[in-house]
C-alpha cells in the first residue's frame, strides 16, 4: 500500500501535514457498525463484507441492495450509543452531519476507530480508494481528494493489468499462477470490451495463442518475452488446424508455460472453446476459462439494437449461419425458428444469408420482417445497414458486406 498525502486544512494548520497511518485491518468475524443506509453506506458495506466483517447497519431506511443482503445485520433504528457495543470499527455514513458527529464522538469516547464519510478529517480513520489484483491489495489516500485517489488507484490497477507495471514480478509476470491453459474470450474487437479478467490473464501469460478476430491492441501490449502464436497463420485446413492448436496448447503447457488461448467474443459461442477444454483435460493439462463478451449481443448493442425490448421481443436465439438450411450436417430447426416471434441473431451468415432468408420465409416468416446487418462491430470500420428479410441478400451484395458481420432478424431491428 502507499499513500499520496497533502492535506487541506479542515482541522487547522497544526495538523495540516500529518498523514494518516495506513493499515490493513483484519475484520473477519469482527463487528463493524455502519450508521446510515444510503449509497455511501452501501459501498462501504460491500468492502467490509468482502473482508469478512460482521457488519451491522443501523438506519431506519436502507437501499434495496442493502436490504437484500443476507450476509449483514440491518437494524432499522436511529443511531444510539449502544449500537457501538462490541464494535471494532465504525463508519458514520448518514446524510445528517449531526448524526455523523454523534457517531464519531461516541466512537472516539470508546476508542473505536471511526470513519466520517461526510468529513474526512472529522473521524479517526479514513477510507482509501482500494483495488485488488493478483493477490495485491492497493490503497490510496490523496489528502481528502477522493477523485484523485480513485484515479490513481484505477491507473495503477490498469497498469498492473496490462503489464505496464511489473508489480514486483521480477522473475516473470504472475509467477504465482501455475502452468496450464487459460481459455480467454477477448470480446468482439473493441478494447473497451475486453474484461479485466482477460487482461489479468494476458499480463501473466508466457505464450499467447491468438485468433484473427481478437483486438490487435491487446497483442501489441504483450511483452517481448511473450511467445505469440498466430493461429490464422497455422498451415493446413480447418479441422487439421484445430488439432494443431490443441497440440500446441498442450505441448507448451506441459513444458511448464502459462498459456493463454485468446479467442474473439466468448470462447464457448461458436468458438470451439470446449473442444480445446476437452483436449487439455484428456492430456492432463490444467485448464481454466475466462468468459468473454460475445459478439452475438455486443455487436447489435454497439449499433444501438437491443436483443430484447419490452412489448417487442421476449426471446432471442443465436444461431450459426455457416451451413445452409437443408445441409446434412445442419443441426438447426428452421421451421421452429421461423415460428418464433422474437429476435434471431445470425453469426457467420454472410455467405448463406440468401438461403437462410428464403428458408425462413418459406416456413412462414414475413417478408417484411426487419433485418439489421452490422459489419465489423466495434471497429473503426463498423457499418450498419437496415433492410427487410426479403431484401437482405440483395443488401449484402449491393453493400459488399464481408465477414465478420452479425444479422439481427426481428422487430428489434427496426428500433432506434
Ligand atoms: N466466439 C465469437 C463468435 C465466433 S464466430 C463470439 O462470441 O463473438 C465468428 C462470427 O462472429 C463472425 O462470423 C461474425 O458473425 C461474428 N463476429 C465476431 N466479431 C464480430 C464483429 N466485430 N463484428 C461483427 N460480427 C462479429
Amino acid at each position: 500500500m502507499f499513500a499520496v498525502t497533502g492535506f487541506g486544512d479542515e482541522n487547522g494548520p497544526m495538523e495540516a501535514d500529518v498523514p494518516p497511518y495506513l493499515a490493513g485491518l483484519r475484520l473477519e468475524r469482527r463487528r463493524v457498525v455502519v450508521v446510515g443506509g444510503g449509497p455511501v453506506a452501501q459501498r462501504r458495506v460491500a468492502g467490509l463484507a468482502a473482508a469478512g466483517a460482521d457488519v451491522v447497519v443501523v438506519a431506519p431506511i436502507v437501499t434495496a441492495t442493502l436490504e437484500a443482503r443476507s450476509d449483514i445485520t440491518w437494524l432499522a433504528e436511529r443511531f444510539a450509543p449502544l449500537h457501538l457495543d462490541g464494535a471494532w470499527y465504525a463508519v458514520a455514513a448518514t446524510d445528517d452531519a449531526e448524526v455523523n458527529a454523534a457517531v464519531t464522538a461516541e466512537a472516539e469516547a470508546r476508542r473505536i476507530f471511526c470513519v466520517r464519510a461526510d468529513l474526512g478529517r472529522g473521524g479517526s480513520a479514513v477510507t482509501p480508494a482500494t483495488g485488488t489484483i493478483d493477490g495485491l491489495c492497493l490503497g490510496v489516500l490523496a489528502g481528502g481528494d477522493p477523485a484523485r485517489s480513485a484515479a490513481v488507484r484505477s491507473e495503477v490497477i490498469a497498469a498492473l493489468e496490462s503489464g505496464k507495471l511489473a508489480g514486483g514480478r521480477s522473475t516473470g509476470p504472475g509467477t504465482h499462477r501455475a502452468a496450464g491453459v487459460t481459455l480467454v474470450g477477448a470480446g468482439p474487437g473493441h478494447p473497451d470490451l475486453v474484461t479485466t479478467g482477460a487482461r489479468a490473464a494476458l499480463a501473466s501469460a508466457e505464450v499467447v495463442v491468438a485468433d484473427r478476430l481478437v483486438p490487435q491492441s491487446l497483442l501489441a501490449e504483450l511483452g517481448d518475452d511473450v511467445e505469440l502464436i498466430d493461429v490464422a497463420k497455422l498451415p493446413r485446413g480447418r479441422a487439421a488446424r484445430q488439432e494443431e492448436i490443441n497440440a500446441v496448447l498442450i505441448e507448451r503447457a506441459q513444458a511448464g508455460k502459462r498459456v493463454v488461448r485468446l479467442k474473439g467474443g466468448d470462447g464457448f459461442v461458436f468458438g470451439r472453446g470446449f473442444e480445446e477444454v476437452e483436449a487439455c483435460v484428456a492430456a492432463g493439462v490444467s485448464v481454466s476459462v475466462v468468459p468473454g463478451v460475445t459478439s452475438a449481443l455486443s455487436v447489435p448493442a454497439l449499433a444501438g439494437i437491443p436483443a430484447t425490448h419490452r412489448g417487442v421481443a421476449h426471446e432471442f436465439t443465436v444461431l450459426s449461419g455457416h451451413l445452409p438450411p437443408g445441409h446434412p450436417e445442419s443441426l438447426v430447426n428452421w421451421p421452429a425458428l421461423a415460428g418464433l416471434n422474437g429476435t434471431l441473431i445470425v453469426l457467420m451468415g454472410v455467405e448463406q444469408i440468401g438461403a437462410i432468408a428464403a428458408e425462413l420465409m418459406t416456413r412462414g416468416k414475413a417478408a417484411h420482417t426487419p433485418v439489421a446487418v452490422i459489419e465489423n462491430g466495434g471497429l473503426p470500420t463498423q457499418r450498419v445497414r437496415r433492410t427487410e428479410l426479403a431484401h437482405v441478400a440483395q443488401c449484402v451484395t449491393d453493400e459488399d458486406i464481408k465477414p465478420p458481420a452479425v444479422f439481427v432478424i426481428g422487430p428489434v431491428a427496426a428500433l432506434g
Side-chain angles (χ1 to χ4, degrees):
M1 290 214 190
F2 64 96
V4 183
T5 54
F7 281 87
D9 60 354
E10 297 105 311
N11 284 15
M14 291 292 285
E15 291 176 53
D17 294 314
V18 181
Y21 178 77
L22 265 173
L25 301 184
R26 296 227 175 272
L27 294 176
E28 278 153 287
R29 291 180 300 282
R30 296 200 161 114
R31 182 178 170 102
V32 174
V33 176
V34 176
V35 183
V40 177
Q42 181 179 316
R43 288 168 58 181
R44 296 292 169 260
V45 165
L48 293 163
D54 174 9
V55 179
V56 178
V57 171
V58 179
I61 301 170
V62 298
T63 65
T65 305
L66 280 174
E67 189 172 356
R69 285 195 84 124
S70 56
D71 57 344
I72 63 170
T73 306
W74 170 32
L75 303 177
E77 301 163 13
R78 299 197 164 278
F79 172 71
L82 63 85
H83 288 131
L84 292 178
D85 286 356
W88 290 73
Y89 194 69
V91 178
T94 74
D95 56 6
D96 183 330
E98 266 178 47
V99 175
N100 290 346
V103 174
T104 313
E106 183 63 27
E108 184 77 19
R110 294 171 177 238
R111 302 182 175 217
I112 299 165
F113 278 109
C114 181
V115 174
R116 189 167 161 181
D118 60 332
L119 185 61
R121 304 217 70 199
S124 53
V126 277
T127 310
T130 58
T132 53
I133 173 171
D134 264 5
L136 285 177
C137 182
L138 200 73
V140 182
L141 293 172
D145 182 349
R148 185 173 176 215
S149 54
V152 172
R153 178 270 326 274
S154 300
E155 284 174 27
V156 173
I157 293 281
L160 284 166
E161 273 166 2
S162 69
K164 274 183 195 140
L165 273 179
R169 297 173 298 201
S170 49
T171 52
T175 37
H176 66 283
R177 286 178 188 245
V181 174
T182 309
L183 187 76
V184 176
H190 193 286
D192 283 358
L193 298 177
V194 179
T195 68
T196 54
R199 289 190 190 278
L202 282 168
S204 67
E206 294 166 297
V207 179
V208 174
V209 181
D211 274 353
R212 192 170 49 88
L213 283 178
V214 304
Q216 292 305 305
S217 59
L218 279 185
L219 303 182
E221 287 168 11
L222 294 174
D224 291 343
D225 52 340
V226 178
E227 183 189 10
L228 177 62
I229 300 174
D230 183 349
V231 160
K233 290 192 185 129
L234 283 180
R236 298 205 253 152
R238 212 178 140 78
R241 195 184 291 156
Q242 186 61 52
E243 277 167 32
E244 289 194 38
I245 295 169
N246 297 351
V248 84
L249 294 175
I250 290 162
E251 189 268 318
R252 294 296 197 279
Q254 284 176 340
K257 302 288 188 190
R258 290 181 298 274
V259 182
V260 162
R261 173 71 176 106
L262 195 62
K263 291 168 169 291
D266 180 278
F268 282 178
V269 178
F270 308 134
R272 307 191 70 171
F274 201 68
E275 293 173 47
E276 291 164 14
V277 169
E278 286 177 321
C280 288
V281 169
V285 164
S286 97
V287 55
S288 57
V289 176
V290 177
V293 175
T294 180
S295 65
L297 295 171
S298 62
V299 165
L302 287 166
I305 299 167
T308 68
H309 189 55
R310 196 159 64 97
V312 175
H314 286 183
E315 94 268 345
F316 62 83
T317 307
V318 179
L319 61 140
S320 167
H322 76 294
L323 294 177
H327 190 284
E329 283 170 30
S330 173
L331 299 175
V332 177
N333 184 338
W334 293 102
L337 291 186
L340 294 173
N341 299 320
T343 310
L344 299 179
I345 298 168
V346 184
L347 270 53
M348 294 186 281
V350 172
E351 215 168 297
Q352 303 297 341
I353 194 63
I356 290 168
E359 175 76 5
L360 289 173
M361 288 185 289
T362 304
R363 303 291 184 172
K365 202 160 234 353
H368 57 77
T369 305
V371 177
V373 189
I374 308 108
E375 181 191 59
N376 292 329
L379 303 173
T381 47
Q382 172 175 310
R383 284 198 293 166
V384 184
R385 293 293 178 269
R386 308 221 187 204
T387 177
E388 295 182 343
L389 198 53
H391 310 300
V392 62
Q394 195 60 47
C395 169
V396 164
T397 309
D398 292 348
E399 300 282 338
D400 195 23
I401 300 287
K402 294 259 168 15
V406 171
F407 296 85
V408 182
I409 304 171
V412 292
L415 295 175

